Amino acid sequence: GGAADREVVAAVYAAIASGHAPQERAVATVTSHHAGADVAHLLDRHARAVVSAIMDAQRQSPGGSVSVIIPSTTPTKRILLPPRVVGAPELSRLRKQFVKIHTLHPIVDVPAFPAAF
């Protein structure tokens, strides 16, 4: 093997010999750089547009699965909503979670924001 293989073997041996395996930190607990206010604003704006499109589609076709075009995606992307109505409070909570997570772990590709939500 190469140098990388030797490093992995050495790390595994050290963990076994010491009796303590290194623990990876979960994404939720990793301290990361915050994205700028511009990124948070863009994320929120695109997420609000997706939530608005979902709410409009549900108003036009209540009940049953509804296909929604995600705004500002090229090529056009669609999502299929569940057969139940997704309420405004749930969508708002998901939007806020999305913005918070992606502010801590930013998406580099700005045009990918709407599709990511």
Side-chain angles (χ1 to χ4, degrees):
D5 291 338
R6 286 190 291 274
E7 288 178 27
V8 170
V9 170
V12 169
Y13 177 76
I16 292 170
S18 70
H20 299 291
Q23 295 184 0
E24 293 185 30
R25 294 169 55 178
V27 172
T29 60
V30 173
T31 304
S32 94
H33 301 292
H34 288 277
D38 291 342
V39 172
H41 174 72
L42 284 173
L43 282 167
D44 190 51
R45 188 177 77 205
H46 287 296
R48 283 180 188 274
V50 172
V51 167
S52 178
I54 291 170
M55 295 299 290
D56 290 344
Q58 289 182 144
R59 269 193 293 277
Q60 293 173 3
S61 180
S65 295
V66 178
S67 178
V68 178
I69 295 173
I70 300 174
S72 305
T73 56
T74 306
T76 301
K77 295 190 180 196
R78 293 179 172 270
I79 56 173
L80 185 63
L81 298 179
R84 66 180 179 83
V85 174
V86 183
E90 183 178 357
L91 289 170
S92 177
R93 180 180 50 80
L94 292 170
R95 178 186 54 80
K96 289 175 186 176
Q97 287 176 347
F98 172 80
V99 171
K100 178 72 172 178
I101 288 169
H102 287 89
T103 300
L104 295 174
H105 307 282
I107 300 170
V108 177
D109 186 16
V110 174
F113 285 174
F117 182 71

